[in-house]
Amino acid sequence: MVHTIGNENNTYNPFVIAKNKDIEIKYIDFGIENYGQLIRIEDSNIILLSQLIKGMKKSFFIVAHELGHYVLKHKNQVSDARVRDEFEANFFATELCFEFYREQHNKKATQPRQLLEYGMPMEMAMII
C-alpha cells in the first residue's frame, strides 16, 4: 500500500501526499496530550497538528500516522478496534518514513537512529 501511494504521488513525503489528497493540515493548541488527529467533516479531511511540533521533524511521523488512518479508512472509535487502528497507523507511518528516508538519502536506513530524524518513535524504528 505504501509503495502504491508513493508511486501515485512521486514522493513518500507525508506533507506532499496530504496536499495531493486535498487533506488540509492545520496547527492548533492540543496541549501536551496529543500531537495529531485526523478529522473528517462531510467531504473534507483535515489533519490537526499540535503547535508544539510545528517545524519539528517529529511532525513527519505524526502526519504519516494520520495519513495511515485516512488511507486505511479508520473510523474515530472508542473500542478494542481503536488499539488495532493505532497499531496499523503506526506501522503505515513507519513504512512511509522508511521509504521517505530512502528517497531523501538514496539508500535504505540500516540503523533505527537514522529514522529518528523523521520523528519516528524508537520502538517503531526498531522494526527495521
Side-chain angles (χ1 to χ4, degrees):
M1 181 176 294
V2 166
H3 291 288
T4 301
I5 290 167
N7 290 334
E8 288 172 355
N9 291 279
N10 296 315
T11 186
Y12 291 96
N13 182 322
F15 283 91
V16 173
I17 293 169
K19 181 179 179 183
N20 290 347
K21 293 191 172 295
D22 293 324
I23 301 172
E24 185 178 356
I25 296 177
K26 288 186 176 184
Y27 290 90
I28 65 168
D29 183 11
F30 267 124
I32 59 173
E33 296 293 317
N34 196 357
Y35 289 121
Q37 182 178 359
L38 172 69
I39 60 171
R40 294 178 172 100
I41 302 171
E42 296 179 12
D43 292 334
S44 298
N45 295 286
I46 303 168
I47 294 176
L48 301 176
L49 293 177
S50 170
Q51 291 178 351
L52 296 174
I53 63 168
K54 189 172 188 174
M56 294 175 63
K57 291 182 179 187
K58 175 180 242 172
S59 62
F60 283 95
F61 185 82
I62 303 299
V63 172
H65 174 93
E66 299 307 330
L67 277 174
H69 286 303
Y70 170 81
V71 169
L72 298 167
K73 298 180 178 15
H74 290 160
K75 308 282 186 244
N76 289 339
Q77 51 192 332
V78 179
S79 68
D80 292 340
R82 179 155 176 85
V83 172
R84 184 200 68 228
D85 289 354
E86 290 304 313
F87 175 81
E88 290 175 351
N90 274 341
F91 193 78
F92 176 90
T94 298
E95 287 186 287
L96 190 65
C97 288
F98 182 82
E99 293 302 329
F100 187 43
Y101 180 92
R102 185 192 321 232
E103 177 184 315
Q104 295 292 299
H105 299 279
N106 294 315
K107 63 180 181 178
K108 290 171 76 172
T110 57
Q111 299 291 320
R113 64 180 165 73
Q114 294 169 308
L115 296 172
L116 299 179
E117 74 176 81
Y118 299 115
M120 186 180 298
M122 180 57 89
E123 63 271 15
M124 296 308 295
M126 296 294 289
I127 290 174
I128 70 159

